[in-house]
Amino acid sequence: AALDSGGRTLAVIGTGITRCYPAENKTLAEEIAKQGAVISQFWPTRPPGRDTFPRRNRVTSGISLGTAVIEASSTSGAKMQARLASEHGKHVWLLASLVSAQPWAQKMVSLGRARSVTSTEDILRDLVTPVAAPPVSVQDTLDLS
């Protein structure tokens, strides 16, 4: 949608910059590169690996104002992204239906590490009037198991 409306898009990939994973996203990656940037922290020819996507999530969290999660199981990368964003002091927005269905999401909301939202307006309101994220200490990191 951002590309279609002429918006700037950044894609942080979990491979080297000369790789496209999955391969069917090659055209999308080329379009993003024309209107924004495709970013990778890996050696240009690095293939995808078990370690590359969690490392990519740290970068995505670091360059973002916040993370919105629509759906995520207890073992998903989106759950990891939400945890990292919280640890980085970023906004974390969890769709209300996700909070209802997933204990890890309920825990993040109850600890004040995320906010349950029902619409994009909820997220936009937070971005217009940012609230300070609670400080995170080593002892305070989330165990979302």
Side-chain angles (χ1 to χ4, degrees), residues 44-90:
T45 57
R46 173 71 152 90
R50 187 176 180 98
D51 65 315
T52 60
F53 293 96
R55 290 168 62 193
R56 181 266 328 253
N57 287 357
R58 286 182 186 87
V59 173
T60 302
S61 171
I63 67 172
S64 301
L65 295 174
T67 293
V69 181
I70 311 287
E71 65 178 56
S73 71
S74 63
T75 60
S76 75
K79 174 189 163 190
M80 173 193 266
Q81 176 72 27
R83 179 184 55 80
L84 290 167
S86 173
E87 290 173 1
H88 290 155
K90 307 294 181 123

Side-chain angles (χ1 to χ4, degrees), residues 4 9 28 33 36 47 52 55 62 80 85 88 90 95 110 126 135 145:
D4 291 343
T9 300
L28 175 61
T52 60
R55 290 168 62 193
M80 173 193 266
H88 290 155
K90 307 294 181 123
L95 194 62
S110 71
D126 285 350
S145 44

